[in-house]
Amino acid sequence: MEITKEILSNQAIVKLTGRLDTTNYNKLDSELDSLMNEGQVKLLIDCTDLNYISSSGLRVFLVYLKRVKSSEGSLSIFGMQPMIEEIFRISGFTSLFTIHSTREEALAAK
Amino acid sequence: MEESLIEIKNDLQELHRINEVVDSLEDKGLPTATVMQVNLCLEEAITNIITYAFPGSEEQTIRITIKYNSKEIQIKIEDNGMEFNPLEEVKAPNTEANLDEREIGGLGVFIIKQLMDDVKYNRSSDLNTLEMIKQL
């Protein structure tokens, strides 16, 4: 899985490409940890090119949602493919996370 | 029914070999969404087996049999590890909980139960057997 990040004036966009699974979830954990240690608390996760997620990846999302909220920040997601959104839905995550369809919509949101 | 048999070591890196076999079923007519769901359920089940049935560092074998036809796909996972029934020993998450109450664990087995139509565990002699069936 490839992770790229984009630092904007008041938020950070983290783009995931490929699979997020039990063999690489700690890469995402490290990336989000280092962003938060740099003071980023408004995180946008670009899932446009994420084509697989398992419970390990879902766990990282949940851990960081809790963590940003306790720092009065936010973590939202955009561009999820239908199969990924389905996994979020059955895990009960669609009610916990702010999910946008597009990057434009995500950036326009408060 | 068509059948594929894969034997892997108790090493998470081996999951890639399973993915290759499951991905190839798409060429044989298995829908893309089903391929992803089968890969996901195998990952969740095998991760638990490696973590809980084989807590030591010895190399062990896990055997996966995939049988399918146009109506259903059957997945059987066998290992000689410690007795471990994932269907009973892993507490289900509360998917209705709000963020503060939502606990971190338990999703792997929960996902298997949601995606598969039938899931069964059996222990006999020294063998753990987990069977998952999905109707197509």
Side-chain angles (χ1 to χ4, degrees):
Chain A
M1 176 186 59
E2 207 185 287
I3 303 178
T4 52
K5 59 186 179 191
E6 202 181 328
I7 311 292
L8 304 180
S9 56
N10 66 341
Q11 58 199 322
I13 304 179
V14 175
K15 181 176 170 73
L16 308 179
T17 300
R19 299 171 51 97
L20 177 56
D21 63 26
T22 190
T23 66
N24 63 18
Y25 70 93
N26 34 23
K27 272 178 78 168
L28 178 60
D29 187 17
S30 298
E31 192 61 67
L32 295 179
D33 186 47
S34 87
L35 280 169
M36 288 200 74
N37 290 339
E38 288 163 20
Q40 298 289 346
V41 296
K42 192 166 178 194
L43 305 175
L44 287 184
I45 314 291
D46 178 354
C47 292
T48 317
D49 291 318
L50 179 67
N51 57 36
Y52 176 96
I53 191 166
S54 63
S55 66
S56 305
L58 291 169
R59 218 161 36 240
V60 176
F61 274 85
L62 184 60
V63 163
Y64 281 89
L65 179 63
K66 288 179 182 262
R67 202 171 146 186
V68 299
K69 291 277 174 165
S70 70
S71 300
E72 293 176 16
S74 63
L75 188 156
S76 38
I77 301 169
F78 69 87
M80 278 202 285
Q81 296 177 22
M83 292 193 298
I84 305 297
E85 192 152 3
E86 173 70 3
I87 302 302
F88 262 71
R89 188 189 61 75
I90 66 178
S91 304
F93 276 27
T94 45
S95 56
L96 297 177
F97 286 86
T98 303
I99 296 171
H100 299 288
S101 304
T102 64
R103 179 190 163 104
E104 291 64 39
E105 205 181 282
L107 290 174
K110 288 196 193 130
Chain B
M1 287 184 114
E2 301 270 354
E3 184 172 311
S4 294
L5 172 63
I6 318 154
E7 283 190 358
I8 60 164
K9 292 183 282 202
N10 54 328
D11 174 352
L12 291 173
Q13 299 301 325
E14 295 264 81
L15 284 169
H16 299 299
R17 286 182 46 218
I18 298 177
N19 294 150
E20 276 167 29
V21 172
V22 177
D23 289 350
S24 73
L25 300 181
E26 196 167 351
D27 298 333
K28 296 183 185 172
L30 203 64
T32 310
T34 309
V35 167
M36 194 242 190
Q37 290 167 356
V38 169
N39 270 325
L40 180 52
C41 291
L42 278 165
E43 175 182 328
E44 301 298 352
I46 290 165
T47 303
N48 276 325
I49 290 167
I50 291 175
T51 308
Y52 298 112
F54 294 124
S57 55
E58 265 174 42
E59 193 176 287
Q60 303 281 355
T61 302
I62 300 170
R63 195 179 154 98
I64 299 119
T65 310
I66 302 176
K67 288 188 189 168
Y68 63 96
N69 58 21
S70 56
K71 298 207 172 70
E72 70 179 31
I73 182 163
Q74 298 171 5
I75 302 147
K76 183 161 71 170
I77 308 174
E78 294 168 296
D79 69 82
N80 290 106
M82 285 172 48
E83 182 164 358
F84 169 67
N85 180 353
L87 308 180
E88 286 181 6
E89 297 194 41
V90 178
K91 184 180 160 201
N94 178 1
T95 56
E96 314 273 305
N98 65 29
L99 187 62
D100 291 330
E101 293 165 352
R102 183 67 196 258
E103 289 175 6
I104 304 288
L107 265 175
V109 175
F110 180 76
I111 286 172
I112 293 172
K113 289 180 181 175
Q114 296 298 305
L115 294 179
M116 293 286 126
D117 294 307
D118 191 19
V119 190
K120 281 189 285 243
Y121 167 83
N122 181 254
R123 171 86 180 176
S124 73
S125 302
D126 288 331
L127 195 67
N128 288 312
T129 304
L130 184 68
E131 288 180 271
M132 308 186 273
I133 297 175
K134 185 158 182 80
Q135 308 299 326
L136 300 176

